[in-house]
Amino acid sequence: MLEQGAIDRLAGETIAPQGHLIAGKRVGGEASLPVISPIDGQAFTTIADGSASDVDRAVAAARAAFPAWSRSGPAFRKKVLHKLADLIERHALELTVLGVRDNGTEINMAYKAEALSAAGTFRYYAEAIDKVYDEIAPTGPDVLALVHREPLGVVGAIVPWNFPLMIGAWKVAPALAAGNTVVLKPAEIASLSLLRIAELALEAGVPEGVFNVVTGHGTIAGKALALHMDVDALAFTGSGPVGRKLLEYTAQSNLKRVFLELGGKSPNIVFDDVADIDKAVKVSANGIFRNSGQVCVAGSRLLVQEGIYDAFLEKLGATTAKFRVGNPLSLESDIGAISSADQLAKDLAYLETARSEGGSVRQGGERLLAETGGYYLSPAIVEGVTPQMTLSREEVFGPVLAVTRFKAMDEAIAIANSTVYGLASAVWTSSLSTAHTMVRAINAGVVHVNTYGGADMTVPLGGFKQSGFGRDKSLHALDKYTDLKTAWIDLK
Ligand code: NAD
């Protein structure tokens, strides 16, 4: 149970300037970047602004640590990664408050989705890694063909500012469990909690150099990591344009493998025969507006069938109006801050474009609490959005819902599949045949039926089309961090 007093005490702590974490030591860079809190627009510490030579040092440390870590055996890695999970749980509130000050996610959500989720991820891969066997191929009798799984070497992980701990853990935990070493580059505006878990990893017994963090600009430190000749794989979550750059960088350097988890414009489709309209309204509102819509799988396109349209929109408007937008460190807030001034400006610009292209803002879309200096926006519902409009096609990554009315199932399928993205989706219906038809017809990595945002470590997450092609979570993620080697043994 979270207590406001404990949150406030942690939120009042001064945070010292933060260096990189390389080879087990905190090291400053030549330059630093201010860390601006979206809560009040004020800088509250600095992070090192990593250079290519900082990345070189981190990669060298990771390379040096690789032989011993990769040969340490699953039982050892399991033990220290379990210890890390314990430490993350023990420091969960501290990590959460640090992260919320950095990126503005409402604390109720961040506590579970960030710290506790990261602990669960480390525990899952710790527990899994001594249960994965190599294979003997079913060849003819005169030969023995062994299929070994080997770690790749040095993995570069580049992650975004939304849910940095959760997404960081999705990359770092399976990579380390499989015996790789890691250099992690967090987003410019959400590095603090990831630096802290790399420190906790040392305390847990992860050897120096196994898990390194280099902070700073994507265009400098991120690019240097992606171009590095001694990095064996890149695990990325972020935007499509940066994903494209990473593919160019790997082609220009050492053909390191790249796994991309990118954006979305996910359709949430409500049919006239929805069984429980109140549940559908509540879950749909949460599915787009929690964390101010800064969620890759957010149901940012709402498609409602004409028979239920008016009733649904009325209820949705009423539910949305009840969200309390405010200081993300307050337990009273349902929705926190927009992560940065740039993102707030982007959200407002998308709303302006939607109006100019013929959409009508039914409610919300106004800057709130400007007097605090922070970045707050009321959740916006935009009606009359056609599939051709910008708001249907481009990811806003903010609390902006595009609403479209449809008549028949075929039309809903065509609209749902009309973007370049294919990350998530949902269908609300009481017809088994509609549900199954839609699951087959929608081009997306996830199709929810009568729910939204279901998540469990046992289930892979990833997209189709330009939403990427990597898969985080579940045992499938281990495939990204291991290579197959065959030993062909003649028995004659
Ligand atoms: P972004 O692409 O701007 O940045 C992501 C990371 O890439 C950051 O660490 C950044 O510093 C780095 N980077 C930027 N330019 C780079 C370059 N030239 N070379 C190397 N690294 C570079 O994304 P963002 O704004 O931080 O995050 C939002 C995006 O992430 C959205 O598109 C969202 O949908 C996506 N996302 C996807 C998932 C998923 O699982 N598919 C999950 C969360 C977020």
Side-chain angles (χ1 to χ4, degrees):
M1 184 77 168
L2 293 176
E3 284 177 11
Q4 193 62 56
I7 295 168
D8 293 343
R9 271 192 299 284
L10 284 164
E13 283 183 1
T14 305
I15 310 290
Q18 302 285 301
H20 310 298
L21 200 148
I22 299 175
K25 310 272 176 311
R26 283 301 193 113
V27 286
E30 280 163 24
S32 60
L33 292 173
V35 177
I36 313 272
S37 177
I39 297 172
D40 55 9
Q42 299 296 312
F44 65 102
T45 186
T46 60
I47 52 170
D49 190 4
S51 62
S53 60
D54 293 327
V55 170
D56 278 344
R57 276 191 287 162
V59 173
R63 177 59 62 196
F66 176 68
W69 179 249
S70 60
R71 286 199 292 265
S72 61
F76 175 76
R77 297 199 295 273
K78 172 179 177 169
K79 197 172 83 186
V80 293
L81 293 178
H82 263 305
K83 253 194 208 162
L84 174 55
D86 293 342
L87 285 171
I88 294 173
E89 273 168 9
R90 198 174 313 150
H91 292 266
L93 188 59
E94 172 207 337
L95 285 161
T96 306
V97 171
L98 199 56
V100 170
R101 292 174 78 184
D102 217 358
N103 76 354
T105 298
E106 54 272 13
I107 193 152
N108 276 317
M109 178 180 237
Y111 186 65
K112 290 190 202 126
E114 282 279 88
L116 297 187
S117 147
T121 301
F122 278 100
R123 214 175 276 303
Y124 178 86
Y125 288 105
E127 200 47 62
I129 202 62
D130 64 352
K131 294 166 190 68
V132 181
Y133 288 75
D134 290 341
E135 297 164 7
I136 297 176
T139 54
D142 296 337
V143 78
L144 178 62
L146 306 176
V147 184
H148 295 281
R149 265 174 197 265
E150 294 197 344
L152 303 173
V154 177
V155 171
I158 302 180
V159 297
W161 46 258
N162 69 320
F163 304 114
L165 275 187
M166 175 171 78
I167 294 171
W170 289 350
K171 318 283 187 206
V172 176
L176 293 185
N180 302 279
T181 55
V182 171
V183 177
L184 172 70
K185 212 302 280 171
E188 294 80 338
I189 60 169
S191 298
L192 301 181
S193 55
L194 285 168
L195 282 164
R196 185 72 184 110
I197 66 158
E199 275 181 347
L200 294 177
L202 289 168
E203 201 178 319
V206 174
E208 294 178 358
V210 167
F211 178 13
N212 309 276
V213 181
V214 176
T215 57
H217 285 101
T219 46
I220 301 168
K223 182 176 176 182
L225 188 61
L227 280 169
H228 207 286
M229 293 300 286
D230 203 24
V231 170
D232 299 290
L234 268 187
F236 175 73
T237 295
S239 62
V242 175
R244 279 172 199 274
K245 287 212 169 81
L246 300 189
L247 293 174
E248 285 174 24
Y249 298 153
T250 186
Q252 287 162 22
S253 55
N254 62 343
L255 294 180
K256 60 181 72 63
R257 58 195 73 187
V258 179
F259 301 103
L260 302 179
E261 295 288 346
L262 308 173
K265 192 78 207 183
S266 300
N268 179 27
I269 307 165
V270 185
F271 285 93
D272 285 346
D273 66 354
V274 54
D276 182 345
I277 184 171
D278 292 324
K279 176 184 169 196
V281 164
K282 185 170 167 230
V283 174
S284 299
N286 283 330
I288 172 63
F289 294 130
R290 294 301 304 279
N291 197 22
S292 300
Q294 301 167 137
V295 179
C296 57
V297 294
S300 52
R301 287 187 294 148
L302 176 67
L303 278 52
V304 190
Q305 201 163 16
E306 58 183 359
I308 203 172
Y309 184 93
D310 291 337
F312 195 91
L313 263 286
E314 195 163 315
K315 282 174 183 278
L316 182 71
T319 299
T320 302
K322 286 193 198 127
F323 281 129
R324 294 162 300 180
V325 180
N327 187 328
L329 288 167
S330 164
L331 291 169
E332 304 281 294
S333 299
D334 301 309
I335 296 177
I338 306 293
S339 60
S340 66
D342 284 353
Q343 184 62 46
L344 176 63
K346 191 173 156 195
D347 297 347
L348 291 168
Y350 270 114
L351 280 161
E352 213 31 64
T353 305
R355 283 190 191 94
S356 72
E357 292 180 358
S360 94
V361 179
R362 180 186 173 108
Q363 67 191 64
E366 320 231 307
R367 183 167 183 191
L368 302 174
L369 303 167
E371 69 282 3
T372 64
Y375 317 128
Y376 301 91
L377 188 63
S378 54
I381 299 176
V382 186
E383 289 185 89
V385 180
T386 64
Q388 295 72 34
M389 286 167 55
T390 308
L391 202 58
S392 271
R393 289 183 287 107
E394 294 184 14
E395 183 185 46
V396 177
F397 220 55
V400 181
L401 178 64
V403 187
T404 304
R405 191 191 294 251
F406 72 91
K407 286 194 171 68
M409 183 161 63
D410 285 353
E411 186 190 358
I413 293 169
I415 297 172
N417 290 337
S418 66
T419 74
V420 298
Y421 295 111
L423 190 51
S425 60
V427 178
W428 296 87
T429 177
S430 50
S431 155
L432 208 54
S433 94
T434 303
H436 280 291
T437 306
M438 294 300 285
V439 167
R440 288 189 182 181
I442 295 177
N443 252 332
V446 186
V447 186
H448 303 92
V449 178
N450 296 333
T451 184
Y452 204 95
D456 193 276
M457 265 317 290
T458 59
V459 181
L461 174 71
F464 286 9
K465 295 156 70 182
Q466 291 184 35
S467 289
F469 45 77
R471 286 290 180 278
D472 282 323
K473 303 168 69 180
S474 84
L475 294 180
H476 292 285
L478 289 172
D479 293 339
K480 296 195 295 190
Y481 304 108
T482 51
D483 218 343
L484 297 181
K485 176 189 276 178
T486 51
W488 189 262
I489 302 166
D490 194 348
L491 301 178
K492 289 196 296 286

